[in-house]
Coordinates of all heavy atoms in Angstrom, one line a residue:
A1 N 75.9 25.3 -23.4 CA 75.2 24.9 -22.2 C 74.3 26.0 -21.6 O 74.7 27.2 -21.6 CB 76.2 24.4 -21.1
V2 N 73.2 25.6 -21.0 CA 72.3 26.4 -20.2 C 72.3 25.9 -18.8 O 72.1 24.7 -18.6 CB 70.9 26.5 -20.8 CG1 70.0 27.3 -19.8 CG2 70.9 27.1 -22.2
M3 N 72.5 26.8 -17.8 CA 72.6 26.3 -16.4 C 71.6 27.1 -15.6 O 71.4 28.3 -15.8 CB 74.0 26.6 -15.9 CG 75.1 25.7 -16.5 SD 76.8 26.2 -16.1 CE 77.0 27.6 -17.2
T4 N 71.0 26.4 -14.6 CA 70.0 27.1 -13.7 C 70.0 26.4 -12.4 O 70.4 25.3 -12.2 CB 68.6 27.1 -14.3 OG1 67.7 27.9 -13.5 CG2 68.0 25.7 -14.4
L5 N 69.7 27.2 -11.4 CA 69.5 26.7 -10.0 C 68.1 26.8 -9.6 O 67.4 27.8 -9.9 CB 70.3 27.5 -9.0 CG 71.9 27.4 -9.1 CD1 72.5 28.4 -8.2 CD2 72.4 26.0 -8.8
K6 N 67.5 25.7 -9.0 CA 66.2 25.6 -8.6 C 66.1 25.2 -7.1 O 66.9 24.4 -6.7 CB 65.4 24.7 -9.5 CG 65.3 25.1 -10.9 CD 64.5 26.4 -11.1 CE 64.4 26.7 -12.6 NZ 63.6 28.0 -12.8
P7 N 65.0 25.7 -6.4 CA 64.8 25.2 -5.0 C 64.7 23.7 -5.0 O 64.1 23.1 -5.9 CB 63.6 25.9 -4.6 CG 63.5 27.1 -5.5 CD 64.1 26.7 -6.8
Y8 N 65.1 23.1 -3.9 CA 65.1 21.6 -3.8 C 63.7 21.1 -4.0 O 63.5 20.1 -4.7 CB 65.7 21.3 -2.4 CG 65.8 19.8 -2.1 CD1 66.8 19.0 -2.6 CD2 64.8 19.2 -1.3 CE1 66.9 17.7 -2.3 CE2 64.9 17.8 -1.0 CZ 66.0 17.1 -1.5 OH 66.0 15.7 -1.2
A9 N 62.7 21.6 -3.3 CA 61.3 21.1 -3.4 C 60.8 21.2 -4.8 O 60.1 20.3 -5.3 CB 60.5 21.9 -2.4
E10 N 61.1 22.3 -5.5 CA 60.6 22.5 -6.8 C 61.2 21.5 -7.8 O 60.5 20.9 -8.6 CB 60.9 23.9 -7.3 CG 60.4 24.2 -8.7 CD 60.8 25.6 -9.2 OE1 61.1 26.5 -8.3 OE2 60.7 25.9 -10.4
A11 N 62.5 21.2 -7.6 CA 63.2 20.2 -8.5 C 62.6 18.8 -8.2 O 62.4 18.1 -9.1 CB 64.7 20.3 -8.2
Q12 N 62.4 18.5 -6.9 CA 61.8 17.2 -6.6 C 60.4 17.0 -7.2 O 60.1 15.9 -7.8 CB 61.7 17.0 -5.1 CG 62.9 16.3 -4.5 CD 62.6 15.8 -3.1 OE1 61.7 16.2 -2.4 NE2 63.4 14.8 -2.7
A13 N 59.6 18.0 -7.1 CA 58.3 18.0 -7.6 C 58.3 17.8 -9.1 O 57.4 17.1 -9.7 CB 57.5 19.2 -7.3
S14 N 59.3 18.2 -9.8 CA 59.3 18.2 -11.3 C 59.9 16.9 -11.8 O 59.4 16.2 -12.6 CB 60.1 19.4 -11.8 OG 60.1 19.3 -13.2
I15 N 61.1 16.5 -11.3 CA 61.8 15.4 -11.8 C 61.7 14.1 -11.0 O 62.0 13.0 -11.4 CB 63.3 15.7 -12.1 CG1 63.9 14.8 -13.1 CG2 64.1 15.6 -10.8 CD1 65.3 15.2 -13.6
G16 N 61.2 14.3 -9.7 CA 61.0 13.1 -8.9 C 61.9 13.0 -7.7 O 63.0 13.5 -7.7
K17 N 61.4 12.4 -6.6 CA 62.2 12.3 -5.4 C 63.3 11.3 -5.5 O 64.2 11.3 -4.6 CB 61.2 11.9 -4.2 CG 60.2 13.0 -3.9 CD 59.3 12.7 -2.7 CE 58.3 13.8 -2.4 NZ 57.5 13.5 -1.2
G18 N 63.2 10.4 -6.4 CA 64.3 9.4 -6.5 C 65.6 10.0 -7.0 O 66.6 10.0 -6.4
P19 N 65.6 10.7 -8.2 CA 66.8 11.3 -8.7 C 67.3 12.5 -7.9 O 68.4 12.9 -7.9 CB 66.4 11.8 -10.1 CG 65.2 10.9 -10.5 CD 64.5 10.7 -9.2
V20 N 66.3 13.2 -7.2 CA 66.7 14.4 -6.4 C 66.5 14.1 -5.0 O 65.3 14.1 -4.4 CB 65.9 15.6 -6.8 CG1 66.2 16.8 -5.9 CG2 66.1 16.0 -8.3
N21 N 67.5 13.7 -4.3 CA 67.4 13.2 -2.9 C 68.7 13.5 -2.1 O 69.7 12.9 -2.4 CB 67.1 11.7 -2.9 CG 66.9 11.1 -1.5 OD1 67.0 11.8 -0.5 ND2 66.6 9.8 -1.5
I22 N 68.6 14.4 -1.2 CA 69.8 14.7 -0.4 C 70.3 13.6 0.4 O 71.5 13.5 0.8 CB 69.5 16.0 0.5 CG1 70.8 16.5 1.2 CG2 68.4 15.7 1.5 CD1 71.9 16.9 0.3
E23 N 69.4 12.7 0.8 CA 69.8 11.5 1.6 C 70.5 10.5 0.8 O 71.2 9.6 1.3 CB 68.5 10.8 2.2 CG 67.7 11.8 3.1 CD 68.6 12.3 4.3 OE1 69.4 11.6 4.8 OE2 68.3 13.5 4.7
D24 N 70.4 10.5 -0.5 CA 71.1 9.6 -1.4 C 71.6 10.5 -2.6 O 71.3 10.3 -3.8 CB 70.1 8.5 -2.0 CG 70.9 7.5 -2.8 OD1 72.1 7.3 -2.6 OD2 70.2 7.0 -3.8
A25 N 72.5 11.5 -2.2 CA 72.9 12.5 -3.2 C 73.8 11.9 -4.3 O 74.9 11.4 -4.0 CB 73.6 13.6 -2.4
R26 N 73.3 12.0 -5.5 CA 74.0 11.5 -6.6 C 73.9 12.5 -7.8 O 72.9 13.2 -7.9 CB 73.5 10.2 -7.1 CG 73.7 9.1 -6.0 CD 73.1 7.7 -6.5 NE 73.0 6.8 -5.4 CZ 74.1 5.9 -5.1 NH1 75.2 6.0 -5.8 NH2 74.0 5.1 -4.1
E27 N 74.9 12.6 -8.6 CA 74.9 13.4 -9.8 C 74.3 12.5 -10.9 O 74.8 11.4 -11.1 CB 76.2 13.9 -10.1 CG 76.3 14.9 -11.3 CD 77.6 15.6 -11.4 OE1 78.5 15.0 -12.0 OE2 77.8 16.7 -10.9
Y28 N 73.4 13.0 -11.6 CA 72.8 12.3 -12.8 C 73.2 13.0 -14.1 O 73.1 14.2 -14.2 CB 71.2 12.3 -12.7 CG 70.7 11.3 -11.7 CD1 70.8 11.4 -10.3 CD2 70.1 10.1 -12.2 CE1 70.3 10.5 -9.5 CE2 69.6 9.1 -11.3 CZ 69.7 9.3 -10.0 OH 69.1 8.4 -9.1
M29 N 73.6 12.1 -15.0 CA 74.0 12.6 -16.3 C 73.2 11.8 -17.4 O 73.4 10.6 -17.5 CB 75.5 12.4 -16.6 CG 76.4 13.2 -15.7 SD 78.1 13.1 -16.1 CE 78.9 14.1 -14.8
W30 N 72.3 12.5 -18.1 CA 71.4 11.8 -19.1 C 71.9 12.1 -20.5 O 72.2 13.2 -20.9 CB 70.0 12.3 -18.9 CG 69.4 12.1 -17.6 CD1 69.5 12.9 -16.5 CD2 68.5 11.0 -17.2 NE1 68.8 12.3 -15.4 CE2 68.2 11.2 -15.8 CE3 68.0 9.9 -17.9 CZ2 67.3 10.3 -15.2 CZ3 67.2 9.0 -17.2 CH2 66.9 9.2 -15.9
I31 N 72.1 11.0 -21.3 CA 72.6 11.1 -22.6 C 71.5 10.9 -23.6 O 70.7 9.9 -23.5 CB 73.7 10.0 -22.9 CG1 74.8 10.2 -21.9 CG2 74.2 10.0 -24.3 CD1 75.9 9.1 -21.9
G32 N 71.4 11.8 -24.6 CA 70.3 11.7 -25.6 C 70.9 12.0 -27.0 O 72.1 12.1 -27.2
D33 N 70.0 12.0 -28.0 CA 70.4 12.2 -29.4 C 70.7 13.7 -29.6 O 69.8 14.4 -29.9 CB 69.3 11.7 -30.3 CG 69.8 11.7 -31.7 OD1 70.9 12.0 -32.0 OD2 68.9 11.5 -32.6
G34 N 71.9 14.1 -29.5 CA 72.3 15.5 -29.7 C 72.0 16.4 -28.5 O 72.1 17.6 -28.6
A35 N 71.6 15.8 -27.4 CA 71.2 16.6 -26.2 C 71.7 15.9 -24.9 O 71.8 14.7 -24.9 CB 69.7 16.9 -26.1
Y36 N 71.8 16.7 -23.9 CA 72.4 16.2 -22.6 C 71.7 16.9 -21.4 O 71.3 18.1 -21.6 CB 73.9 16.5 -22.6 CG 74.6 16.4 -21.2 CD1 75.0 15.2 -20.8 CD2 74.8 17.5 -20.5 CE1 75.7 15.1 -19.6 CE2 75.5 17.5 -19.3 CZ 76.0 16.2 -18.8 OH 76.6 16.2 -17.6
L37 N 71.5 16.2 -20.3 CA 71.0 16.8 -19.1 C 71.7 16.3 -17.9 O 72.0 15.1 -17.8 CB 69.5 16.4 -19.0 CG 68.8 16.7 -17.6 CD1 68.7 18.2 -17.4 CD2 67.4 16.1 -17.5
M38 N 72.1 17.2 -17.0 CA 72.8 16.9 -15.8 C 72.1 17.6 -14.6 O 71.6 18.7 -14.8 CB 74.2 17.3 -15.8 CG 75.1 16.9 -14.6 SD 75.0 18.1 -13.3 CE 76.1 19.4 -13.9
H39 N 72.0 16.9 -13.5 CA 71.5 17.6 -12.3 C 72.1 17.1 -11.0 O 72.5 15.9 -11.0 CB 69.9 17.5 -12.2 CG 69.4 16.1 -12.2 ND1 69.2 15.3 -11.1 CD2 68.9 15.4 -13.2 CE1 68.7 14.2 -11.4 NE2 68.5 14.2 -12.7
N40 N 72.3 17.9 -10.1 CA 72.9 17.5 -8.8 C 72.5 18.5 -7.7 O 71.9 19.6 -7.9 CB 74.5 17.5 -8.8 CG 75.1 18.8 -9.4 OD1 74.6 19.9 -9.2 ND2 76.1 18.6 -10.2
V41 N 72.6 18.0 -6.4 CA 72.1 18.8 -5.3 C 73.3 19.6 -4.7 O 74.4 19.2 -4.6 CB 71.6 17.8 -4.2 CG1 71.1 18.6 -3.0 CG2 70.6 16.9 -4.7
L42 N 72.9 20.9 -4.3 CA 73.9 21.8 -3.8 C 73.5 22.4 -2.5 O 72.3 22.1 -2.0 CB 74.1 23.0 -4.8 CG 74.5 22.8 -6.2 CD1 74.6 24.1 -6.9 CD2 75.9 22.1 -6.2
N43 N 74.4 23.1 -1.8 CA 74.1 23.9 -0.6 C 73.4 23.0 0.4 O 72.3 23.4 1.0 CB 73.3 25.1 -0.9 CG 74.1 26.2 -1.6 OD1 75.0 25.9 -2.4 ND2 73.8 27.5 -1.3
Q44 N 73.9 21.8 0.7 CA 73.4 20.9 1.7 C 71.9 20.7 1.5 O 71.2 20.5 2.5 CB 73.7 21.5 3.1 CG 75.2 21.7 3.4 CD 75.5 22.4 4.7 OE1 74.7 23.3 5.1 NE2 76.6 22.0 5.3
G45 N 71.5 20.6 0.3 CA 70.1 20.2 0.0 C 69.2 21.3 -0.2 O 68.0 21.1 -0.4
Q46 N 69.6 22.6 -0.3 CA 68.7 23.7 -0.5 C 68.4 23.9 -2.0 O 67.4 24.4 -2.3 CB 69.3 24.9 0.1 CG 69.6 24.9 1.7 CD 70.2 26.1 2.2 OE1 69.8 27.2 1.9 NE2 71.2 25.9 3.0

């Protein structure tokens, strides 16, 4: 696994405001062919 932390605004601009939303905070787990992606919001939305 590779892990990284990104600022909230930068993450929203890249993946979209729907999946990255502190007002509707959800963890997303994406399943692919031999690959996986997960993202979630930390530090009260920072």
Side-chain angles (χ1 to χ4, degrees):
V2 174
M3 296 169 279
T4 188
L5 293 173
K6 296 295 181 181
Y8 182 79
E10 182 180 340
Q12 267 200 337
S14 183
I15 204 168
K17 294 183 178 180
V20 178
N21 183 358
I22 186 60
E23 301 301 325
D24 185 31
R26 299 178 188 273
E27 186 169 80
Y28 279 75
M29 298 187 182
W30 298 86
I31 299 172
D33 185 8
Y36 165 85
L37 169 66
M38 183 272 286
H39 55 88
N40 49 36
V41 182
L42 301 179
N43 287 35
Q44 299 174 327
Q46 298 178 46

